[in-house]
Amino acid sequence: MDLQKLEELKKKYLDEVNFRKNIAGASVPYKYDIMVCGGTGCRSCKSRLVQDKLNEVIKNKGLQNEIAVHGVGCFGLCVNGPIVLIYPQDAMYVKVTVSDVDEIVDALARGELVERLLPENDGHKVYKKVDLKFCKKQKYIARNNAEYMSLDNILGDYIALEGYSALYKVITSMTQDDVISLIKESGLRGRGGAGFLTGQKWEYARLNDAPQKYVICNADEGDPGAFMDRSIIESNPHAIVEAMAIAGYAIGASKGYVYLRAEYPLAGERLQNAIDEANKAGLLGKNIFGTNFDFELEIKFGAGAFVCGEETALMHSIEGMRGEPSLKPPFPAERGLYGCPTIINNVETLANVAQIINNGASWFNSIGTEDSKGTKVFALTGKIKNSGLIELPMGTTIREIIYDIGGGIPNGKEFKAVQMGGPSGGCIPAEYLDTPIDYKSLSDLGSMMGSGGMIVVDEDSCMVDLAKFFLQFTVDESCGKCTPCRIGNKRILEILTKITEGKATMEDLDKLEDLCKYVKDDSLCGLGQTSPNPVLSTLRYFRDEYIEHIQQHKCRAGVCKALTRYKITDKCVGCSACSRACPVGAITGEIKKQFSINQEKCIKCGKCYNTCRFGAIAKE
């Protein structure tokens, strides 16, 4: 591959991309391009069947010369999948099924859209996706152009959108120090957890002389409810390939590994295809772009151990050893994989690199806040209307995310808190909704950016139970190497369990807080050091719920079964629906008379509560 070949490929595929962007002058042999989401979320909703049906119907109607069909990466509005994008109208269809296909094709043949499949803003149909509230405040950098690249021609479309031009620029016109200075000046911080300055990490590795150095992409995304990295790889794998080659050049490394969760088969397939394409095109391998720079890239699959998200445990896993962390220093930049200087960046961090090279440091650091530059990708899940993947400028407030982009809390419920940063993060209550999202602000509230998980909880959530859920996760995922994490977290979980069962005392609450601080201060790695965060943050903001559980034996949300009692009130009309739903026969009565619950037989499953259409069952 040389510059001329790169420009030829860009010219060859530019029209198709520009057509989708509705840029004047784009010449393609069809009128419409239907792009069907091929991300894991939409695939699970049978989007592949929709795509196959579109091709079949278009062929049967003889419209192959008018309508093209392609797969596309994740758009982000996962709750409404399968998503179908219609270009050049820039329209989006939601919850598309195979039975909708004929109507879609017939409408396009008439030059029309199917209004009933369009998404809504406040009850009104939206004809352009850019006008959707979900999209308006988003800014794409890490996920840039994903909605315009065909999965059938992802290398060609990536090159048409300036792909690999950053790599060419770097290895033909910049020194290693030039590249590192640019990344440092941009203010890019690691998007995987701690937020360490990326350029500084690269510089440390650059300054350590060694015959062999390594670049690792940490794609071991293990937080519950997180799918940012998976989506980026599935939608735009070449962005990671190019960035890793740039990082390799910057620090003097000739070998890279992507450590990918084996539970991400689609991401693995697409990333391997991208690596194969890059090797075939001369964008990886020997003498890249005719220079003396060599770089090889390989995927290593992880077995799903959460602790392998920690960099030293990750490296041990690649080396074929047990995934356990090591004491630091030495840091990986000094002595990492196979004892050689190594840099480790997560997927989202790397997805920013090529655009910083192409657009400049000042462009990137003009976005965001003084402390936190650029954008951040979040997986917005839980009790929220528009769950999915979002990318926002740093400094966007939690309120904007929850109510403008997320659409608010469903079923008229009240927002209670948002768990930021996954099991390593903390809960932020409603009183801090106007907090800007940046590293310092979240840390001040006892939470963290983490990799970007955002789990929204409403008034029906018990904060003690939520803390117990995350502690159970970290107990299960602890490697067991250090005593504070291995034993301490189990003791924390035991106290939380006592509280949710109504068996704890106020002394237990004091022990809980002291133990959390001990585990946080004395654990070996980031897993143990951050595992108490959900408990400490809920104690900080929702201590009254803990006290209610202990002193009043009450769970106000009715989540903790041992403290919950269902009672049939005088609103009962005697329809017997609750009795028929009860799996243990605890509800008895006569038709058209008030039924009752045998509390000794009741297993507190809540089926009666969920079944009653008259609001006659109270949860106490």
Side-chain angles (χ1 to χ4, degrees):
M1 178 72 75
D2 55 21
L3 180 60
Q4 181 180 348
K5 180 64 174 176
L6 195 66
E7 290 297 325
E8 287 175 359
L9 286 172
K10 179 177 177 180
K11 184 177 180 181
K12 180 178 179 181
Y13 298 113
L14 188 59
D15 274 343
E16 285 193 40
V17 171
N18 284 343
F19 175 79
R20 293 167 195 151
K21 289 186 168 186
N22 203 13
I23 295 175
S27 177
V28 294
Y30 44 80
K31 290 182 180 179
Y32 305 103
D33 198 348
I34 303 177
M35 303 196 79
V36 182
C37 178
T40 292
C42 283
R43 279 285 181 92
S44 69
C45 299
K46 302 181 180 179
S47 68
R48 186 71 203 188
L49 296 180
V50 172
Q51 185 174 344
D52 292 342
K53 186 66 174 180
L54 280 164
N55 281 314
E56 176 189 329
V57 171
I58 288 167
K59 181 180 179 181
N60 291 341
K61 294 178 182 289
L63 297 171
Q64 301 97 312
N65 296 327
E66 293 187 32
I67 305 173
V69 179
H70 296 101
V72 70
C74 176
F75 180 72
L77 192 55
C78 305
V79 70
N80 282 330
I83 300 286
V84 172
L85 305 177
I86 308 293
Y87 294 117
Q89 285 91 338
D90 194 39
M92 178 172 68
Y93 291 153
V94 297
K95 297 184 178 178
V96 180
T97 66
V98 170
S99 61
D100 298 320
V101 168
D102 278 290
E103 189 176 355
I104 291 171
V105 175
D106 290 341
L108 283 183
R110 299 191 302 270
E112 300 172 357
L113 294 173
V114 182
E115 184 171 321
R116 68 178 181 83
L117 295 175
L118 296 168
E120 293 183 353
N121 273 346
D122 302 324
H124 301 287
K125 293 293 184 180
V126 178
Y127 285 85
K128 286 187 176 292
K129 71 176 189 289
V130 293
D131 294 327
L132 196 61
K133 279 186 176 181
F134 180 79
C135 304
K136 278 192 172 182
K137 293 191 176 182
Q138 293 200 51
K139 183 174 181 62
Y140 301 131
I141 297 179
R143 300 180 61 239
N144 192 42
N145 293 321
E147 72 266 41
Y148 300 120
M149 290 188 292
S150 165
L151 295 173
D152 307 312
N153 181 40
I154 199 160
L155 176 60
D157 286 354
Y158 181 68
I159 289 174
L161 290 161
E162 303 297 331
Y164 290 102
S165 60
L167 178 60
Y168 178 82
K169 178 181 178 181
V170 161
I171 65 178
T172 60
S173 64
M174 298 176 72
T175 67
Q176 293 171 293
D177 290 336
D178 288 339
V179 178
I180 291 172
S181 294
L182 183 62
I183 299 300
K184 287 176 69 177
E185 186 184 343
S186 74
L188 176 65
R189 296 174 65 167
R191 300 304 199 241
F196 193 80
L197 287 166
T198 303
Q200 193 170 323
K201 182 185 287 188
W202 290 15
E203 186 174 50
Y204 290 156
R206 161 83 175 95
L207 295 174
N208 281 294
D209 289 330
Q212 179 66 59
K213 298 181 183 181
Y214 294 99
V215 174
I216 296 175
C217 172
N218 182 353
D220 189 57
E221 187 174 47
D223 290 8
F227 50 98
M228 299 77 64
D229 293 349
R230 184 196 73 199
S231 176
I232 291 171
I233 293 175
E234 289 177 355
S235 304
N236 190 6
H238 281 284
I240 308 308
V241 174
E242 181 178 17
M244 292 187 71
I246 291 170
Y249 175 81
I251 72 165
S254 60
K255 178 74 175 181
Y257 292 98
V258 179
Y259 189 81
L260 181 67
R261 295 182 71 78
E263 294 94 334
Y264 286 176
L266 191 59
E269 175 187 328
R270 289 179 184 166
L271 181 59
Q272 187 60 59
N273 287 342
I275 292 171
D276 293 343
E277 287 178 324
N279 277 313
K280 186 176 180 180
L283 298 164
L284 287 176
K286 302 288 185 182
N287 307 119
I288 299 172
F289 285 118
T291 69
N292 62 357
F293 174 58
D294 304 336
F295 191 74
E296 298 177 358
L297 193 55
E298 182 181 342
I299 300 174
K300 287 284 188 178
F301 288 98
F306 181 67
V307 72
C308 286
E310 196 278 335
E311 56 188 9
T312 59
L314 184 155
M315 290 186 294
H316 291 152
S317 179
I318 291 178
E319 292 168 349
M321 296 187 289
R322 184 182 176 92
E324 292 181 336
S326 298
L327 281 170
K328 292 181 285 189
F331 292 95
E334 179 185 354
R335 190 160 71 245
L337 188 66
Y338 302 115
C340 301
T342 304
I343 59 169
I344 304 174
N345 295 117
N346 87 319
V347 172
E348 186 187 343
T349 309
L350 292 167
N352 287 280
V353 168
Q355 292 192 70
I356 292 172
I357 301 294
N358 285 332
N359 297 303
S362 59
W363 163 80
F364 186 80
N365 62 35
S366 68
I367 303 164
T369 67
E370 183 65 28
D371 172 67
S372 307
K373 306 298 185 183
T375 61
K376 181 71 187 79
V377 181
F378 294 99
L380 184 62
T381 60
K383 301 296 183 66
I384 191 79
K385 288 180 181 177
N386 295 333
S387 62
L389 209 61
I390 59 176
E391 184 174 0
L392 304 157
M394 295 281 199
T396 303
T397 66
I398 298 174
R399 186 183 300 276
E400 290 176 286
I401 295 173
I402 301 299
Y403 290 100
D404 294 343
I405 297 166
I409 314 303
N411 305 317
K413 299 289 184 177
E414 290 293 322
F415 170 83
K416 190 171 189 178
V418 58
Q419 169 77 7
M420 296 282 297
S424 302
C427 291
I428 299 174
E431 63 192 277
Y432 295 107
L433 272 170
D434 293 311
T435 300
I437 298 291
D438 60 55
Y439 290 97
K440 185 177 185 306
S441 297
L442 295 181
S443 178
D444 289 345
L445 293 177
S447 187
M448 63 187 296
M449 189 81 70
S451 59
M454 293 184 73
I455 302 175
V456 180
V457 297
D458 66 10
E459 60 190 88
D460 291 336
S461 300
C462 170
M463 303 312 291
V464 185
D465 182 73
L466 185 71
K468 188 178 81 168
F469 168 80
F470 284 112
L471 251 295
Q472 182 66 67
F473 177 83
T474 51
V475 165
D476 291 343
E477 294 296 335
S478 173
C479 73
K481 184 174 182 178
C482 74
T483 303
C485 183
R486 182 182 71 251
I487 304 298
N489 276 322
K490 286 183 180 179
R491 299 293 87 84
I492 292 173
L493 180 60
E494 287 172 1
I495 295 174
L496 289 171
T497 300
K498 283 178 68 177
I499 294 172
T500 58
E501 292 177 349
K503 299 176 181 178
T505 66
M506 291 301 293
E507 288 183 3
D508 288 317
L509 197 61
D510 294 333
K511 289 179 184 177
L512 177 65
E513 198 157 14
D514 290 342
L515 189 54
C516 283
K517 291 174 181 177
Y518 173 80
V519 172
K520 190 176 180 69
D521 291 340
D522 295 292
S523 291
L524 173 63
C525 80
L527 187 150
Q529 292 161 10
T530 60
S531 60
N533 284 348
V535 183
L536 289 171
S537 64
T538 51
L539 280 169
R540 178 177 177 181
Y541 299 117
F542 301 96
R543 182 176 288 267
D544 55 337
E545 290 196 32
Y546 282 85
I547 294 172
E548 280 182 1
H549 279 68
I550 295 169
Q551 293 186 339
Q552 301 177 34
H553 300 286
K554 175 183 176 182
C555 174
R556 68 175 68 171
V559 171
C560 300
K561 288 186 177 182
L563 306 181
T564 301
R565 184 173 180 269
Y566 292 95
K567 179 182 178 182
I568 299 177
T569 69
D570 56 11
K571 292 181 182 179
C572 178
V573 297
C575 70
S576 79
C578 58
S579 178
R580 285 180 275 119
C582 181
V584 293
I587 302 176
T588 57
E590 297 180 28
I591 297 297
K592 296 185 179 181
K593 292 184 179 180
Q594 184 175 339
F595 278 61
S596 62
I597 301 175
N598 183 327
Q599 297 297 332
E600 292 184 1
K601 293 178 67 176
C602 178
I603 60 172
K604 301 172 184 178
C605 64
K607 288 189 176 181
C608 59
Y609 182 83
N610 295 326
T611 300
C612 183
R613 295 182 292 113
F614 303 98
I617 298 181
K619 187 161 54 171
E620 300 175 340

